[in-house]
Amino acid sequence: MRIILIITALSSAISQAREWTAAETETFQESARDQLKDIVHLLLDGNNEEIVKQSTSPDASVTGSLRPSAEHAHSNSTIGGITTLRWKGSPNEKPQPLSAAFDELSSTWPADGEPRWKVKNFDVRVQPGGTEIATHTDYVAFIQGAQNSLQQIGKWRCLWKIPQDPEAPPLLKSISLLELTETNSAKSGPLLKDVTLPVLGNLPAFQNILAKGANYWIPRLPRLKHRFQHGLAVGDLNGDGLEEIYLCQPEGLPNILLMREPDGSVRDAAADYGLNFRDITTSALFVDLDNDGDQDLIATFRSPINFFENVDGKFINRHQLPHRGQVFNLAAADYDQDGLLDLYVCQYQNLDEKGIAPSAIPLHDAKNGGKNSLHRNLGDWKFKDVTTSVGLDQNNDRWTVAASWEDFDRDGDLDLYCANDYGRNNFYRCDTAEDGSISFTDIAPETGVEDMTTSMGISWGDPNRDGIPDIYVSNMYSSAGRRIAFQKNFKRNISKSDTDHVKAWQQAAMGNSLFQGRADGSFLHASKASRVYKGRWSWGTTFADLNHDGWDDLLVANGFITGVGSLPDL
């Protein structure tokens, strides 16, 4: 019996000390996440300490503070009535009870507000010995009061004891602060007000189309599946100083033109302008192609790309480009400085005769995407494909979602950045020779902006106001991806999988990228330092000075299809 007991104990120790699989750590993180949610809820409620003890180790504590005092903040700023405090960890490492630490965390919350908060693990690591597991956890809280609103965004390191009983949940041993940003607005409520219903609520186009989500349309228009990547165009079509919005729609639904009226109202004028197409429309662009002072339209359909001239309130088809694959973005600029706007077309993927696209291979570094093209405006509604002659055929095999022009090196000509899904981005520098000839060279690797991830949007700006253009790229932030990709054995059993391959997958889950331009022409990856990488599942993005204080702010569109009914988000 003694021998059996010894062997059993040894077997248990070996089992605990071995490397956990991704499936095991994912199972653990779900249990730890649920435990932590219950613990945080009870602690913030303030009167359930006895119940908390059932979910924690007897010596459970917080190392230091979850919200240090203001004088220990790494930075402290007040702009436009908004005060922001940032901490990098806690200056005090002395343990304190969980209840006291959470009292500190909530000490600045508006007393009359209903808090909304969330915790989510993004890293799971088995500790040496195999009896404890550390998780890195995102923490977010928002509280809106009558006089002010407050937001906290932080990261914790939580240490858990693995119970002897495999059916029992883990026990929380400690929490320590990694970083915290607290924003306190002197105004109550959000900084931006949703005016959708007051402005658009009475429009049939809103009630019958826009107000209904993907889950409504997919069973009714089966060919949509989950493909709802449809763009929009903004421009002043009638010269009244008010910009209109043209909304591209899936096939079967009419495109919508939101025309602004002087009294502040909005109407759908798509039919009036002849723009209520029902063909699938993925991208559109308002630009003056013929230099007559009004906005013309370029739109991409399943059929050829069409160029429409604005003639006295009607749009007339003047030119077509040959049939392409799926086009997600159009970027116009006068690259050759001849006074006429030229067009760069971003072809995301190729389609076969049945309209089916190939899978991205390899998923983290795909080179089987569509072929982007540059079309030079020759005047009189004639365009010439100059992609190859100017060198833009280099690395032209990616899954491009967006492109944007900017003179990053301030030499007087426009350079081009391409945001690509499933892998590396392109950054083409434009060079003009003495004889006037123009060539582009992909310099993404040497300038540090390849951003090998899942890029979908680009915005140029100068958030640090040093006079050098910076790039913000919207990608995807995935807590699950970060947890799994950083496992020790991740991808190690796959042929041709090396360290660079694993790092590429890790990068793909890290979120958005801010590249700060430097005087030598290179870029600094400043995403983590500026804390702008966590844009969740990000699509488009733009720099904009929202509060007119002279500094570039960021807007990021994010999200994806949600589950039906009680099903979780995808």
Side-chain angles (χ1 to χ4, degrees):
M1 177 66 69
R2 293 172 62 187
I3 294 175
I4 293 174
L5 288 175
I6 292 172
I7 292 174
T8 302
L10 179 60
S11 175
S12 175
I14 293 173
S15 175
Q16 290 177 335
R18 67 173 173 79
E19 290 293 335
W20 283 32
T21 66
E24 288 173 320
T25 57
E26 281 299 283
T27 300
F28 171 85
Q29 87 80 20
E30 289 180 3
S31 178
R33 175 199 62 200
D34 294 341
Q35 279 285 87
L36 188 60
K37 285 181 179 178
D38 291 341
I39 292 169
V40 173
H41 174 75
L42 294 171
L43 287 169
L44 292 177
D45 191 47
N47 56 4
N48 291 282
E49 195 164 340
E50 289 302 316
I51 303 178
V52 170
K53 290 180 180 179
Q54 300 175 18
S55 305
T56 59
S57 171
D59 58 345
S61 64
V62 168
T63 304
S65 174
L66 295 181
R67 190 210 176 268
S69 58
E71 57 264 27
H72 290 119
H74 176 70
S75 65
N76 184 339
S77 63
T78 300
I79 300 175
I82 301 175
T83 299
T84 302
L85 297 170
R86 290 186 174 90
W87 293 267
K88 290 184 177 180
S90 175
N92 180 15
E93 297 300 319
K94 183 179 179 181
Q96 63 171 321
L98 292 174
S99 56
F102 277 86
D103 285 344
E104 285 183 351
L105 182 65
S106 59
S107 62
T108 54
W109 290 7
D112 58 344
E114 183 67 27
R116 292 186 289 133
W117 56 267
K118 185 176 183 179
V119 288
K120 191 171 186 179
N121 299 320
F122 64 87
D123 190 29
V124 178
R125 301 290 177 94
V126 180
Q127 301 302 288
T131 60
E132 295 180 338
I133 290 184
T135 62
H136 285 183
T137 304
D138 284 324
Y139 156 78
V140 179
F142 178 76
I143 309 92
Q144 179 179 326
Q147 303 300 323
N148 70 307
S149 58
L150 183 136
Q151 176 178 275
Q152 293 174 331
I153 301 176
K155 296 187 185 303
W156 301 338
R157 181 182 186 274
C158 301
L159 190 62
W160 303 84
K161 283 188 175 181
I162 303 174
Q164 294 294 325
D165 181 0
E167 300 298 322
L171 299 177
L172 180 64
K173 183 177 180 181
S174 67
I175 304 177
S176 56
L177 179 67
L178 299 177
E179 63 180 53
L180 178 66
T181 299
E182 181 178 279
T183 304
N184 196 330
S185 173
K187 299 179 180 179
S188 178
L191 300 179
L192 300 176
K193 183 179 180 181
D194 185 351
V195 296
T196 307
L197 288 179
V199 176
L200 304 179
N202 293 327
L203 294 180
F206 178 80
Q207 297 171 354
N208 300 330
I209 300 177
L210 299 179
K212 303 180 187 302
N215 291 329
Y216 175 87
W217 289 114
I218 288 175
R220 290 166 174 80
L221 301 173
R223 290 185 65 176
L224 294 181
K225 297 181 180 179
H226 70 284
R227 297 295 184 184
F228 275 76
Q229 298 98 332
H230 300 276
L232 57 81
V234 178
D236 179 9
L237 298 193
N238 56 5
D240 64 354
L242 302 174
E243 291 186 320
E244 280 70 57
I245 302 176
Y246 187 56
L247 301 176
C248 304
Q249 295 294 299
E251 60 184 319
L253 299 177
N255 291 348
I256 298 167
L257 177 62
L258 300 176
M259 176 74 67
R260 297 173 62 193
E261 302 293 348
D263 63 0
S265 63
V266 173
R267 65 185 179 92
D268 180 8
D272 298 339
Y273 278 81
L275 298 178
N276 55 336
F277 307 112
R278 288 181 179 266
D279 193 3
I280 179 173
T281 312
T282 55
S283 186
L285 185 66
F286 284 127
V287 284
D288 185 4
L289 294 170
D290 52 7
N291 288 345
D292 64 352
D294 57 26
Q295 297 290 296
D296 307 304
L297 174 68
I298 310 169
T300 64
F301 305 104
R302 187 187 304 277
S303 55
I305 299 172
N306 288 266
F307 294 69
F308 298 93
E309 182 184 5
N310 185 344
V311 181
D312 300 327
K314 294 291 183 180
F315 282 82
I316 302 174
N317 195 340
R318 295 298 194 196
H319 184 75
Q320 290 183 341
L321 295 181
H323 176 74
R324 309 288 303 227
Q326 201 164 19
V327 174
F328 278 170
N329 188 249
L330 304 168
D334 184 10
Y335 84 95
D336 55 0
Q337 302 183 56
D338 65 352
L340 296 171
L341 287 175
D342 312 297
L343 181 69
Y344 189 73
V345 177
C346 301
Q347 182 181 338
Y348 182 69
Q349 56 193 184
N350 298 301
L351 301 176
D352 63 18
E353 294 179 354
K354 297 181 180 180
I356 299 174
S359 298
I361 300 174
L363 195 64
H364 71 291
D365 195 14
K367 297 181 180 180
N368 63 335
K371 298 292 185 182
N372 300 341
S373 55
L374 177 64
H375 301 267
R376 184 187 177 197
N377 190 341
L378 303 178
D380 196 26
W381 295 96
K382 293 181 175 62
F383 293 82
K384 180 181 180 181
D385 188 338
V386 295
T387 310
T388 301
S389 63
V390 299
L392 284 175
D393 56 338
Q394 181 185 4
N395 299 329
N396 189 23
D397 50 11
R398 300 292 182 174
W399 294 64
T400 306
V401 182
S404 184
W405 298 89
E406 175 64 62
D407 182 11
F408 93 100
D409 51 6
R410 296 163 290 175
D411 64 350
D413 50 31
L414 292 173
D415 312 293
L416 181 66
Y417 190 89
C418 296
N420 302 324
D421 204 355
Y422 305 119
R424 308 167 200 265
N425 294 340
N426 305 116
F427 186 31
Y428 297 102
R429 185 189 65 222
C430 180
D431 296 305
T432 304
E434 292 184 1
D435 63 359
S437 61
I438 294 173
S439 62
F440 288 87
T441 305
D442 190 354
I443 59 171
E446 54 262 43
T447 53
V449 296
E450 226 176 7
D451 206 25
M452 189 174 177
T453 176
T454 53
S455 300
M456 288 180 278
I458 317 161
S459 185
W460 288 91
D462 187 14
N464 58 352
R465 299 203 302 193
D466 64 352
I468 303 174
D470 308 313
I471 312 171
Y472 187 67
V473 184
S474 53
N475 304 312
M476 289 190 293
Y477 174 89
S478 171
S479 299
R482 294 188 66 180
R483 290 194 306 267
I484 295 171
F486 283 88
Q487 294 290 329
K488 185 176 181 180
N489 293 321
F490 175 71
K491 293 281 185 182
R492 296 301 182 187
N493 61 340
I494 297 178
S495 176
K496 298 181 180 180
S497 177
D498 55 17
T499 300
D500 290 339
H501 180 91
V502 173
K503 286 183 178 179
W505 278 95
Q506 293 171 346
Q507 176 64 30
M510 296 304 291
N512 297 348
S513 301
L514 174 62
F515 298 106
Q516 289 185 347
R518 295 188 280 203
D520 63 359
S522 66
F523 289 81
L524 172 67
H525 202 311
S527 313
K528 288 189 176 181
S530 56
R531 301 190 186 182
V532 294
Y533 62 92
K534 190 181 175 183
R536 305 187 186 277
W537 193 313
S538 299
W539 297 92
T541 181
T542 186
F543 280 110
D545 184 4
L546 298 177
N547 55 354
H548 303 291
D549 63 354
W551 293 87
D552 281 339
D553 309 303
L554 271 172
L555 281 174
V556 180
N558 52 35
F560 201 55
I561 302 173
T562 55
V564 179
S566 60
L567 295 177
D569 291 352
L570 296 179

